[in-house]
Amino acid sequence: MSPRRNRPHKPAHARDDDEREPGGGFQDTEPWQGEEWIVRQVAGGASGKHYRCPGCDQEIPPGVGHVVAWREHGGVDDRRHWHRACWNARDRRTSKVQRSRNAPRY
């Protein structure tokens, strides 16, 4: 008789390593506003870049995990970086925030 396996079995909904993106996050497709959106979870690297979340109009500092989303048929310029909470509440948070004239547009 062979010894018992002490490793937990992988659930059916768990993602394989094949779905893991080179940047370290997972990529998925979600419907929103009648279109398919590609959504990538980003762990937050040390790239030194600041992003502005379209959901809350606040900065996402370097090293903070967030979501990158773009339309399935869109280009690289259509990618937007969202806080995870803002992406999850995207139906309640619109990008209708009005910035002042001298506010940065990044």
Side-chain angles (χ1 to χ4, degrees), residues 31-86:
W32 184 45
Q33 295 180 340
E35 296 183 85
E36 291 294 319
W37 287 68
I38 298 173
V39 180
R40 182 178 296 165
Q41 301 285 333
V42 179
S47 67
K49 287 181 134 183
H50 290 265
Y51 300 103
R52 186 161 301 273
C53 174
C56 65
D57 200 40
Q58 299 295 315
E59 281 190 358
I60 303 173
V64 173
H66 59 281
V67 173
V68 180
W70 65 96
R71 288 184 177 92
E72 187 174 36
H73 299 292
V76 175
D77 294 334
D78 294 333
R79 291 185 297 187
R80 296 293 173 257
H81 296 255
W82 295 68
H83 292 107
R84 287 186 179 134
C86 294

Side-chain angles (χ1 to χ4, degrees), residues 30-33 37 39 55 67 69 82 84-95:
E30 295 182 20
W32 184 45
Q33 295 180 340
W37 287 68
V39 180
V67 173
W82 295 68
R84 287 186 179 134
C86 294
W87 176 255
N88 292 335
R90 63 191 174 271
D91 292 326
R92 296 187 308 267
R93 296 176 183 245
T94 62
S95 59

